[in-house]
Amino acid sequence: MSDDREPYLVSTERLELRRVGPEDLDALYALNSDPAVWRHLPEGRHTGPGVTEAWIERCTGHWESDGVSYWMARHRESGEVIGVGGAQRQNPGFWNLYYRLAHDSWGYGYATEISRAAIRIAGQHSPELPVVAWIHAHNTGSRAVAERLGLRDYGLRPEPGKGEPMHAYADRDLTF
């Protein structure tokens, strides 16, 4: 395991989780432009490297302002990119739990492994904030991950700032 006071690099049982940065542009664009990865939200697919570059800049900004954000996830033994994930602080005051995995990495428990690390690190940085996973009703795989993590489904509600109702799975009661 890693030193949780330094969340830029976290090791889990099978993964190395390293802070997302500009050096990840090619790998992230390959991941985020794959239609199979966006099966549950096709309109979210990255349509050009500039979209991914802007995403990386937002992610880097969260690392700088909050000390926690999203990691690139690589297999510890092979170095293969598994995906991206972690937690980002959002307004009105919650940690957004997120992951996106390469399609050939689905079904191996990597989403759960990344999410457990993210919940632990977010809780060490701002334990007063809830951890929330916003999940579309039809995304049964992600809903199962949230339940395995012990998150409770608080039902369909609009994600702050986005408006579209999604299931809000959280580690505690939500006040927004």
Side-chain angles (χ1 to χ4, degrees), residues 130-134 146 150-154 167-174 176:
V131 174
V132 183
W134 297 94
L151 302 179
R152 182 173 159 213
D153 185 359
Y154 285 89
H167 282 269
Y169 282 84
D171 65 347
R172 66 192 82 173
D173 289 340
L174 300 175
F176 53 86

Side-chain angles (χ1 to χ4, degrees), residues 97 99 111-112 115-116 119 132-135 139-153 167-171:
L97 184 63
Y99 57 84
T112 303
S115 296
R116 284 192 200 291
I119 291 168
V132 183
W134 297 94
I135 304 172
N139 191 341
T140 57
S142 286
R143 292 179 69 189
V145 168
E147 289 168 8
R148 264 193 303 283
L149 293 167
L151 302 179
R152 182 173 159 213
D153 185 359
H167 282 269
Y169 282 84
D171 65 347

Side-chain angles (χ1 to χ4, degrees), residues 5-139:
R5 294 167 297 165
E6 185 61 50
Y8 299 144
L9 180 63
V10 173
S11 293
T12 66
E13 181 182 338
R14 299 175 293 169
L15 302 175
E16 176 184 274
L17 308 173
R18 185 189 41 76
R19 171 187 169 147
V20 167
E23 66 278 7
D24 299 311
L25 177 62
D26 292 341
L28 273 174
Y29 178 64
L31 173 73
N32 284 311
S33 63
D34 180 355
V37 170
W38 289 93
R39 181 174 84 190
H40 298 94
L41 185 64
E43 64 274 17
R45 188 171 69 83
H46 292 199
T47 56
V51 175
T52 306
E53 191 171 33
W55 189 92
I56 290 171
E57 288 174 12
R58 286 190 304 277
C59 188
T60 300
H62 281 277
W63 276 110
E64 292 169 3
S65 64
D66 303 322
V68 178
S69 187
Y70 300 147
W71 299 294
M72 284 298 295
R74 287 185 163 76
H75 196 276
R76 284 176 60 185
E77 291 180 14
S78 69
E80 173 189 4
V81 172
I82 300 299
V84 63
Q88 271 187 0
R89 189 178 180 136
Q90 303 289 313
N91 288 322
F94 66 92
W95 290 105
N96 183 62
L97 184 63
Y98 172 83
Y99 57 84
R100 180 134 338 263
L101 302 179
H103 189 258
D104 61 355
S105 296
W106 291 10
Y108 294 97
Y110 295 127
T112 303
E113 197 167 326
I114 293 166
S115 296
R116 284 192 200 291
I119 291 168
R120 185 181 77 246
I121 298 296
Q124 290 172 349
H125 273 73
S126 295
E128 72 282 4
L129 298 180
V131 174
V132 183
W134 297 94
I135 304 172
H136 290 278
H138 62 276
N139 191 341

